[in-house]
Amino acid sequence: MEALVFTALLHYHEVSLKGRNRARFEQILLSRVQEALVGLDLKVSRIPGRILVRNVPEAKLEKVKERLSKVFGLANFAFALEADPDLEVLAELALKLIPKEVKTFRVSAKRGNKKLPFTSIEAEREVGGRIAAKTGLKVDLKNPELTVFLEFALDRAWVYTDRLRFPGPGGLPVGASGKVMTLLSGGIDSPVAAWRVMKRGAKSAFVHFHSYPHTDFASAVKAKREAEVLAAWQGGARLYLVPLAGVQAEIFAKSPEKYRTLLYRRFMLRIAERLAEREGAGALVTGDALGQVASQTLENLHAVSKAVDALVLRPLIAMDKVEVIEEAKRIGTYEISILPQQDCCSFLEPRRPATRATPEELADAEAGLDVPALVEAALAKAELLKIPSPYKGEAVPDPVPPEEV
Ligand code: ATP
Ligand code: MG
């Protein structure tokens, strides 16, 4: 059989895209598609309402499919054969796409070009009639085994089948909503939180806090591997590794035990806020879910947030753990997140943590600490890992523990 060369037709939802917003959305989406397909020698272009990827040989379909399935903003995409809007030619091309075992089919046409000499219904009838005559297949409008799609736009036409059409991840293209800084713990929740915000168009930078040498360095390695998985969805990632041991030692020495975990959290937010400024990020993102652990009561979340001016987004706040786990599995971070680690916050964990702290109580509990100096000292020891897109550049090695903390 001759080798086919396809054009991928990329569709996006246009709901809520208005005016100038829309041109911007399309431009960003185009860049994200180009970025995702880098190195594959394909031609990416834009026509009204669609993005086209031309020159896709059959041998590359799987790879292109895999990469496009991680481009936020795409509602779906299809691998089509492209031709002039000539119904006879399109019927011939359709024959190449119909698998042998299929017995019934229908044709469904969409017409962007209103100047064509035929209506959508006429196109469906004509192409359907030709396919039936050549193959003996039966038309079944209600419950066909295969649907042949025709699309017409500008002066071109495309034919594909439902077996060559795939869902995209939806959402908005990364970059359309600016940047955020996600606090990535190495656990299950925070990568899902980052992914959710990415899906709404925000590119994420990451920060992980470790307690080395009081705990091992496994959490940092896990955070890096999670960031690598997430990097595929946004064309790379920047991950800061920050030692928290200095801050924790001070809290341990000078603050009431029951507030320890909450105070660690406040310092994490403060340090993350500074890194967010450095990265041009407009919000912090955490994986908190309401009521999941003692630090995640309404009161405690509020009292922790008060340590910073920054907007703190908690996309998982109303999700059940089982839902988060399912999503983590789909994204591909779950297997990494369940590897063993020593959590930085389990280090000297209070026996009876406060469950309803107020901002005033936490401010009092910090009265003996030199907060700005502790934040500066931690920032000075922050290490930045630049994780490339998996389609570009070589993977960076796993981080190793710092020599001095
Ligand atoms: P996760 O699965 O993301 O670790 P969790 O349910 O275990 O979440 P906590 O450990 O209470 O919850 O942490 C709540 C959130 O605080 C995390 O989702 C993360 O955003 C942030 N966080 C906690 N520990 C760290 C850390 N060591 N480094 C960076 N962020 C952290
Ligand atoms: Mg955790």
Side-chain angles (χ1 to χ4, degrees):
M1 215 178 89
E2 72 179 302
L4 299 173
V5 177
F6 292 88
T7 294
L9 279 179
L10 281 43
H11 300 110
Y12 42 86
H13 289 304
E14 293 166 52
V15 198
S16 84
L17 287 179
K18 294 186 191 116
R20 280 192 303 158
N21 219 354
R22 175 177 171 151
R24 195 174 147 263
F25 170 96
E26 290 177 339
Q27 190 51 49
I28 295 173
L29 183 58
L30 183 73
S31 306
R32 292 292 86 82
V33 169
Q34 281 167 331
E35 194 175 80
L37 299 179
V38 68
L40 295 182
D41 191 26
L42 305 170
K43 290 201 197 84
V44 184
S45 60
R46 195 170 78 168
I47 61 170
R50 294 175 186 74
I51 289 173
L52 303 180
V53 183
R54 289 193 164 110
N55 222 4
V56 187
E58 226 167 327
K60 287 186 187 166
L61 285 193
E62 268 311 307
K63 184 163 265 176
V64 172
K65 180 184 151 195
E66 196 192 306
R67 293 199 188 179
L68 290 179
S69 68
K70 292 183 179 167
V71 177
F72 288 122
L74 295 179
N76 61 69
F77 54 93
F79 295 104
L81 298 176
E82 181 169 342
D84 290 329
D86 176 321
L87 299 179
E88 195 179 333
V89 171
L90 291 167
E92 285 300 318
L93 290 179
L95 295 177
K96 298 180 198 279
L97 302 178
I98 301 177
K100 279 203 185 60
E101 73 279 7
V102 166
K103 299 277 184 299
T104 61
F105 77 107
R106 73 169 164 187
V107 181
S108 168
K110 233 195 304 185
R111 218 166 51 122
N113 177 353
K114 300 295 173 199
K115 289 190 196 129
L116 292 170
F118 45 80
T119 65
S120 295
I121 291 175
E122 284 164 356
E124 289 167 359
R125 289 213 180 114
E126 172 79 21
V127 171
R130 285 175 182 271
I131 293 171
K134 285 256 166 112
T135 59
L137 296 185
K138 295 248 165 336
V139 173
D140 180 347
L141 296 180
K142 283 237 171 66
N143 196 17
E145 286 169 49
L146 186 83
T147 299
V148 173
F149 292 97
L150 302 173
E151 284 191 37
F152 301 90
L154 301 178
D155 58 351
R156 300 299 286 164
W158 297 269
V159 55
Y160 58 92
T161 72
D162 46 9
R163 300 192 187 184
L164 291 166
R165 190 175 69 170
F166 305 96
L172 300 174
V174 171
S177 309
K179 285 189 195 166
V180 295
M181 172 65 70
T182 302
L183 287 82
L184 197 63
S185 65
I188 297 170
D189 301 333
S190 38
V192 176
W195 186 86
R196 287 229 153 187
V197 180
M198 275 179 205
K199 182 171 178 177
R200 294 303 304 162
K203 183 162 188 166
S204 189
F206 301 94
V207 54
H208 172 75
F209 299 92
H210 60 82
S211 298
Y212 185 83
H214 304 304
T215 61
D216 64 26
F217 205 58
S219 68
V221 173
K222 287 172 61 186
K224 178 259 185 177
R225 294 198 185 151
E226 289 175 347
E228 268 174 342
V229 171
L230 294 167
W233 298 81
Q234 59 166 23
R238 292 159 67 81
L239 167 64
Y240 288 91
L241 299 177
V242 180
L244 204 64
V247 167
Q248 289 178 303
E250 279 288 294
I251 292 171
F252 178 69
K254 298 183 181 157
S255 301
E257 177 183 332
K258 64 176 176 173
Y259 297 127
R260 257 180 222 159
T261 311
L262 301 177
L263 299 184
Y264 298 163
R265 283 290 139 68
R266 276 162 70 94
F267 275 91
M268 286 185 192
L269 288 184
R270 288 182 178 116
I271 295 163
E273 182 178 46
R274 291 287 299 281
L275 294 173
E277 281 162 21
R278 203 183 282 180
E279 293 289 317
L284 306 179
V285 176
T286 76
D288 293 302
L290 186 60
Q292 201 181 85
V293 291
S295 59
Q296 296 172 11
T297 62
L298 284 180
E299 292 84 354
N300 284 348
L301 290 172
H302 173 67
V304 166
S305 298
K306 283 288 169 183
V308 290
D309 285 333
L311 172 63
V312 182
L313 301 176
R314 297 183 167 94
L316 310 189
I317 197 68
M319 280 177 80
D320 286 350
K321 193 77 184 187
V322 281
E323 295 172 319
V324 177
I325 288 173
E326 274 169 26
E327 201 154 281
K329 286 181 179 168
R330 282 199 298 274
I331 298 165
T333 51
Y334 181 74
E335 296 302 324
I336 303 167
S337 66
I338 56 173
L339 296 172
Q341 76 174 65
Q342 294 174 324
D343 196 282
C344 79
C345 294
S346 61
F347 169 56
L348 301 175
E349 205 164 354
R351 277 157 303 180
R352 289 170 180 277
T355 53
R356 291 164 176 228
T358 64
E360 295 72 28
E361 279 167 16
L362 296 188
D364 280 350
E366 285 172 344
L369 308 177
D370 186 345
V371 172
L374 288 169
V375 169
E376 288 308 327
L379 279 171
K381 290 176 180 160
E383 187 195 340
L384 172 62
L385 292 185
K386 294 179 191 165
I387 296 167
S389 151
Y391 316 135
K392 253 196 283 188
E394 284 196 17
V396 296
D398 283 342
V400 294
E403 279 169 20
E404 207 190 318
V405 291

